[in-house]
Amino acid sequence: MSASATRQGHAVLDLVSRQWKGRKIERLLGLGDSTQVRRLLEVGTGSGGIAHFFASQASPTFDVDAVDVTDARQVVEGYRFTLVPSALLPFESESFDVVLTNHVIEHVGDSSDQMTHLREIRRVLKADGLVYLAVPNRWMLVEPHYKLPFLSWLPRKLRSTYVRWSGRGTHYDCEPLERGELEIMTGRAGFDARNISVEAFRATLAIEGNKGTIASIVACMPDTWLQKLEAIIPTHIYLLRKSS
């Protein structure tokens, strides 16, 4: 989520998929079992579909803010939106019960910008708040933004060459993370992090159904097998809480 002209917008504009994603996040964070109004922030809202999903729930109820560096929203009702020029957040400390950062940290810039992103989220999070963090795995087989195999496996200086050679753009503007470095960063930012990628996979199947042979086969695997694959699955998904 950088305002730099060298970084492109990669918002997912399919609103149906955003509704599914919102429902999955609600399930993974256990947000459906409260009668209290909770304040929620989505960082990097893109189409606005996830912010709108939470804002439109009758029970539980959310008071929703969303931010992004560009306005690519396709749905604008029910929540407040603020344009931001950087990873800094225009909110008071300890303002939110829930913060969502869904495929955002890889877009904010280098490791310093990524640390600012995480520390700003911690700053605006209440002491007992929850964070949903989803990040593309550097070791994914096909890079999701440019649809190129093994793109993020390459050294940084070669990634833009591959993008240009493929005709997909002029440069590579993302910074996907390895699981180990992501966990180091979240710890340094002051979070306790729990990997919930297996739970997220199960939740996706429950909401969207099995899609394809591979998904059907993986769905039959026990959790202990899937946990051994966490280092190489396409997306790292974490539940973050403030460390004491």
Side-chain angles (χ1 to χ4, degrees), residues 158-230:
L158 296 180
R159 296 175 193 172
S160 291
T161 300
Y162 185 14
V163 169
R164 288 193 297 271
W165 174 81
S166 69
R168 303 292 175 87
T170 60
H171 60 282
Y172 185 59
D173 62 347
C174 305
E175 292 291 338
L177 296 166
E178 301 176 19
R179 177 179 175 181
E181 63 183 339
L182 176 61
E183 292 181 353
I184 290 171
M185 291 176 70
T186 55
R188 287 177 176 171
F191 287 111
D192 291 326
R194 182 168 72 86
N195 191 305
I196 57 171
S197 299
V198 172
E199 294 98 314
F201 173 74
R202 300 293 189 202
T204 298
L205 292 181
I207 294 167
E208 301 180 23
N210 294 2
K211 293 186 176 181
T213 303
I214 294 177
S216 298
I217 293 172
V218 175
C220 298
M221 293 182 178
D223 286 356
T224 53
W225 291 15
L226 293 177
Q227 287 164 355
K228 295 181 183 300
L229 301 176
E230 284 178 350

Side-chain angles (χ1 to χ4, degrees), residues 19-170:
Q19 293 292 303
W20 287 343
K21 181 59 69 65
R23 194 170 302 282
K24 180 174 78 172
I25 292 170
E26 182 182 51
R27 179 175 299 192
L28 290 171
L29 298 188
L31 300 177
D33 58 356
S34 175
T35 58
Q36 296 181 338
V37 177
R38 281 171 289 194
R39 195 169 179 203
L40 180 147
L41 171 65
E42 185 186 16
V43 182
T45 194
S47 68
I50 294 175
H52 179 262
F53 168 83
F54 283 100
S56 63
Q57 299 305 296
S59 179
T61 305
F62 298 93
D63 179 23
V64 180
D65 282 274
V67 300
D68 213 321
V69 294
T70 59
D71 189 352
R73 292 177 298 157
Q74 294 192 329
V75 57
V76 301
E77 296 86 5
Y79 62 94
R80 294 174 295 274
F81 175 74
T82 305
L83 280 172
V84 293
S86 69
L88 299 178
L89 297 172
F91 304 105
E92 298 291 332
S93 298
E94 299 193 352
S95 295
F96 294 95
D97 301 287
V98 182
V99 180
L100 313 180
T101 170
N102 179 54
H103 289 260
V104 175
I105 194 172
E106 70 271 20
H107 300 296
V108 302
D110 60 18
S111 59
S112 176
D113 296 315
Q114 291 176 333
M115 284 301 302
T116 297
H117 175 72
L118 291 171
R119 285 171 174 152
E120 277 292 280
I121 287 172
R122 188 185 189 282
R123 180 184 64 79
V124 302
L125 186 70
K126 292 182 180 179
D128 59 348
L130 301 173
V131 178
Y132 174 90
L133 171 67
V135 186
N137 184 355
R138 182 187 171 187
W139 305 115
M140 58 197 150
L141 296 179
V142 179
E143 205 281 344
H145 306 96
Y146 294 87
K147 312 301 182 186
L148 293 172
F150 306 113
L151 171 59
S152 56
W153 292 38
L154 296 174
R156 286 181 176 85
K157 63 182 180 180
L158 296 180
R159 296 175 193 172
S160 291
T161 300
Y162 185 14
V163 169
R164 288 193 297 271
W165 174 81
S166 69
R168 303 292 175 87
T170 60

